[in-house]
């Protein structure tokens, strides 16, 4: 889509083109993540699910780095493209690509060298050690492609090709599902097979996106002369993208804390139920993240072009859609939650208790979209302090506090209750931030006048 059409065309048509493609891509990504869980649950059982959940905090480091570079780079590119400065946008892209390689190589080497102590630190027990180590090792072997695939996806959207971004993930998702079925169910490779299937899908997504920027019909290209580390650009990328990194790392830290809490107040079964809860909830969380990621380049374009009223309308549309979607998804959990849980291979004797816990865990569904949208909005316009307060507050501070404070009184239920309580407080903080931001903006207008 041409940048002039984005800035002046029908606002609902523009919104739909970017958001729907982004959401479909993220939903496909979520589906193949859930398929991993389904095949592991059916092919390995609760111990396999728990093993993957134990390894996942380390995997969030890889995902977080990819999102930090990708969102930071794409946000700067969007502003330059909104100003019509495509050569500067290409310089930012080149720096982002070089940054991916440098950081990715370091993460791969250190991650593999210290894999055993890391897995033990994450809480692996004798029955989960093998599964956790298998998943962790394979994912860290492909850390560089994983970071590339994660980072280039939002940059492809910002280049005006949300449809290609969706296609990248779609092809990867299909490959992952087929390979999961072959490797886990047919050949019996267990958790190791699921990790190999995920790796193959990541390599496909990376290849498609690199081809687009090197030999495809991209508006901005990866050029040899731009593959340098420009420290000023790196600082801007990391500053803007840190919010996305913090969100992922906070997931990892919270998951580690909650796994340990589960083992303290419960058992491996409780960890498996919590894993299923995160798989089900991640469908909504990732959908809302997809909406926010699809919105970010639009915010960047309009902010760069100084079309502020149209930019605000895009935010209002997004929040309304997110609230309605959250209500519909939580309703489906209430109606079909037991059937969803059964798909993951949880034994029939645990389904009812799992259903009760998942209802608690997902009750904040209508609020999640608003949280991601407002955080993404402030991130896209460079107000990183506000974005950090919202994202880190919800994803780490409040949930962490409740995870530690509640279980001594109400057991493992406290772990499941920590998320909705964190979301409630975050919504209250968002209201306060908006009031403060509007007051500061009004003062700026008066001073300029």
């Amino acid at each position: 889509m041409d940048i002039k059409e984005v800035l002046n065309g029908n606002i609902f048509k523009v919104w739909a083109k970017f958001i729907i493609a982004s959401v479909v891509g993220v939903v496909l990504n979520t589906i193949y993540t859930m398929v991993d869980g389904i095949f592991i649950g059916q092919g390995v059982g609760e111990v396999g699910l728990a093993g993957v959940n134990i390894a996942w905090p380390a995997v969030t480091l890889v995902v977080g780095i990819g999102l930090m570079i990708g969102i930071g780079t794409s946000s700067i590119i969007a502003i330059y493209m909104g100003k019509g400065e495509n050569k500067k946008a290409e310089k930012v892209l080149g720096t982002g690509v070089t940054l991916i390689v440098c950081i990715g190589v370091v993460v791969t080497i250190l991650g593999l060298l210290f894999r055993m102590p890391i897995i033990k630190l994450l809480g692996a027990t004798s029955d989960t050690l093998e599964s956790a180590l298998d998943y962790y090792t394979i994912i860290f072997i492909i850390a560089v492609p994983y970071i590339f695939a994660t980072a280039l996806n939002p940059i492809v959207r910002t280049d005006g090709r949300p449809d290609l971004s969706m296609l990248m993930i779609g092809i990867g998702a299909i490959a992952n599902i087929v390979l999961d079925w072959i490797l886990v169910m047919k050949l019996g490779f267990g958790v190791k097979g699921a990790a190999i299937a995920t790796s193959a899908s990541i390599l496909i997504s990376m290849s498609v996106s690199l081809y687009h920027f090197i030999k495809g019909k991209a508006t901005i290209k990866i050029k040899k002369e731009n593959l340098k580390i420009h420290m000023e650009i790196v600082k801007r990328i990391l500053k803007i993208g840190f919010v996305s990194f913090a969100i992922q790392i906070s997931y990892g830290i919270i998951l580690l804390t909650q796994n340990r809490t589960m083992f303290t107040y419960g058992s491996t079964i409780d960890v498996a139920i919590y894993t299923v809860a995160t798989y089900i909830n991640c469908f909504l969380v990732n959908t809302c993240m997809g909406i926010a990621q699809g919105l970010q380049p639009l915010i960047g374009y309009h902010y760069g072009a100084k079309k502020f009223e149209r930019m605000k309308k895009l935010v209002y549309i997004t929040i309304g859609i997110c609230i309605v979607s959250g209500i519909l998804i939580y309703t489906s959990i209430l109606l079909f939650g037991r059937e969803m849980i059964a798909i993951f291979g949880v034994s029939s004797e645990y389904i009812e208790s799992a259903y009760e816990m998942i209802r608690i865990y997902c009750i904040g569904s209508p609020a999640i979209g608003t949280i991601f949208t407002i955080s993404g909005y402030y991130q896209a316009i460079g107000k990183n302090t506000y974005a950090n307060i919202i994202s880190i507050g919800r994803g780490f501070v409040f949930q962490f506090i409740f995870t530690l404070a509640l279980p001594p009184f109400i057991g493992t239920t406290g772990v499941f209750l920590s998320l909705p309580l964190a979301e409630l407080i975050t919504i209250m903080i968002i209201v306060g931030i908006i009031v403060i931001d509007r007051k500061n903006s009004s003062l700026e207008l008066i001073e300029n006048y």
Side-chain angles (χ1 to χ4, degrees):
M1 183 177 278
D2 183 74
I3 190 69
K4 291 182 180 179
E5 187 179 350
V6 172
L7 296 173
N8 301 293
N10 181 282
I11 193 167
F12 292 101
K13 183 179 177 181
V14 170
W15 184 92
K17 182 175 178 64
F18 277 80
I19 303 298
I20 292 174
S22 177
V23 169
V24 170
V26 170
V27 167
L28 289 172
N29 188 46
T30 305
I31 287 171
Y32 83 67
T33 300
M34 291 176 71
V35 165
D36 270 351
I38 291 168
F39 280 119
I40 290 169
Q42 296 287 348
V44 184
E46 287 92 347
V47 171
L49 285 171
V52 172
N53 204 47
I54 287 166
W56 197 253
V59 179
T60 61
L61 174 67
V62 178
V63 177
I65 291 170
L67 286 174
M68 176 172 63
I69 298 172
I71 298 296
T73 302
S74 64
S75 296
I76 299 168
I77 287 172
I79 292 172
Y80 279 137
M81 289 180 72
K83 294 178 179 179
E85 298 176 348
N86 286 4
K87 286 189 177 180
K88 289 184 178 180
E90 287 185 335
K91 188 176 179 180
V92 174
L93 175 60
T95 299
V97 168
T98 305
L99 191 60
I100 289 169
V101 175
C102 293
I103 295 178
V105 169
V106 172
V107 169
T108 301
I109 294 170
L110 294 179
L112 292 175
L113 279 177
F114 299 102
R115 57 181 178 167
M116 185 59 75
I118 289 172
I119 283 296
K120 289 182 177 179
L121 179 66
L122 293 175
T125 57
S126 57
D127 59 338
T128 58
L129 180 62
E130 184 180 355
S131 296
L133 192 60
D134 284 346
Y135 198 86
Y136 173 98
T137 302
I138 292 170
I139 293 300
F140 269 79
I141 287 172
I142 57 131
V144 174
Y146 206 152
I147 294 171
F148 257 116
T150 306
L152 290 179
N153 196 274
I155 300 173
V156 167
R157 282 197 300 271
T158 300
D159 189 54
R161 291 296 308 273
D163 55 332
L164 180 61
S165 170
M166 176 181 67
L167 182 64
M168 285 163 49
I169 298 174
I171 294 171
I174 293 169
N176 187 72
I177 292 169
V178 173
L179 289 172
D180 263 334
W181 179 74
I182 295 171
L183 297 173
V184 180
M185 303 304 293
K186 291 297 179 183
L187 299 180
F189 286 176
V191 170
K192 191 180 295 183
I196 293 170
T198 298
S199 301
S201 69
I202 287 165
L203 288 169
I204 291 170
S205 294
M206 179 194 71
S207 300
V208 173
S209 55
L210 281 176
Y211 180 84
H212 170 71
F213 285 114
I214 296 171
K215 294 195 174 182
K217 297 180 180 180
T219 304
I220 58 173
K221 296 277 191 176
I222 295 174
K223 296 178 179 177
K224 189 183 294 184
E225 60 267 27
N226 291 324
L227 294 176
K228 302 173 184 177
I229 290 291
H230 300 278
M231 289 310 300
E232 285 303 314
I233 295 175
V234 169
K235 289 176 184 176
R236 291 178 65 192
I237 289 172
L238 299 183
K239 184 179 178 181
I240 294 172
F242 180 76
V243 178
S244 300
F245 176 77
I247 291 171
Q248 289 298 319
I249 293 302
S250 68
Y251 286 160
I253 295 171
I254 286 295
L255 195 55
L256 170 60
T257 305
Q258 291 177 330
N259 284 339
R260 289 182 175 274
T261 304
M262 287 288 191
F263 279 121
T264 300
Y265 296 93
S267 64
T268 300
I269 297 299
D270 293 300
V271 177
I273 290 172
Y274 182 71
T275 305
V276 174
T278 57
Y279 274 127
I280 291 174
N281 190 60
C282 83
F283 183 85
L284 172 63
V285 169
N286 288 351
T287 298
C288 293
M289 193 179 293
I291 291 173
Q293 289 176 1
L295 179 67
Q296 277 184 313
L298 292 176
I299 296 298
Y301 296 145
H302 287 79
Y303 188 74
K306 301 186 184 301
K307 304 197 78 165
F308 301 124
E309 288 303 314
R310 182 177 167 93
M311 179 179 74
K312 289 178 182 178
K313 287 179 183 177
L314 288 165
V315 175
Y316 297 147
I317 292 168
T318 306
I319 290 174
I321 295 293
C322 283
I323 292 172
V324 172
S325 300
I327 292 171
L328 290 175
I329 289 174
Y330 188 65
T331 301
S332 69
I333 291 171
L334 293 178
L335 294 175
F336 307 109
R338 294 177 183 85
E339 289 78 7
M340 294 178 188
I341 294 163
I343 292 172
F344 287 92
V346 174
S347 302
S348 57
E349 61 185 299
Y350 301 118
I351 284 181
E352 198 59 39
S353 60
Y355 173 68
E356 293 301 319
M357 292 300 101
I358 290 170
R359 284 201 310 170
I360 292 171
Y361 189 73
C362 298
I363 200 170
S365 298
I368 294 174
T370 300
I371 293 169
F372 277 102
T373 299
I374 298 299
S375 176
Y377 164 74
Y378 283 124
Q379 187 179 16
I381 65 173
K383 293 189 176 182
N384 301 297
T385 301
Y386 292 151
N388 280 322
I389 290 171
I390 294 167
S391 298
I392 297 174
R394 172 200 175 263
F396 179 63
V397 177
F398 305 126
Q399 196 176 357
F400 184 80
I401 291 171
F402 287 125
T403 295
L404 295 179
L406 296 178
F409 302 99
I410 57 176
T412 56
T413 302
V415 176
F416 290 89
L417 192 57
S418 64
L419 180 62
L421 288 175
E423 286 162 349
L424 175 62
I425 293 177
T426 304
I427 287 292
M428 295 167 65
I429 288 174
I430 284 174
V431 172
I433 285 174
I434 291 172
V435 171
I436 292 169
D437 188 41
R438 285 184 175 177
K439 183 179 178 181
N440 290 341
S441 298
S442 298
L443 288 174
E444 287 172 11
L445 285 173
I446 292 169
E447 289 172 1
N448 291 335
Y449 181 75

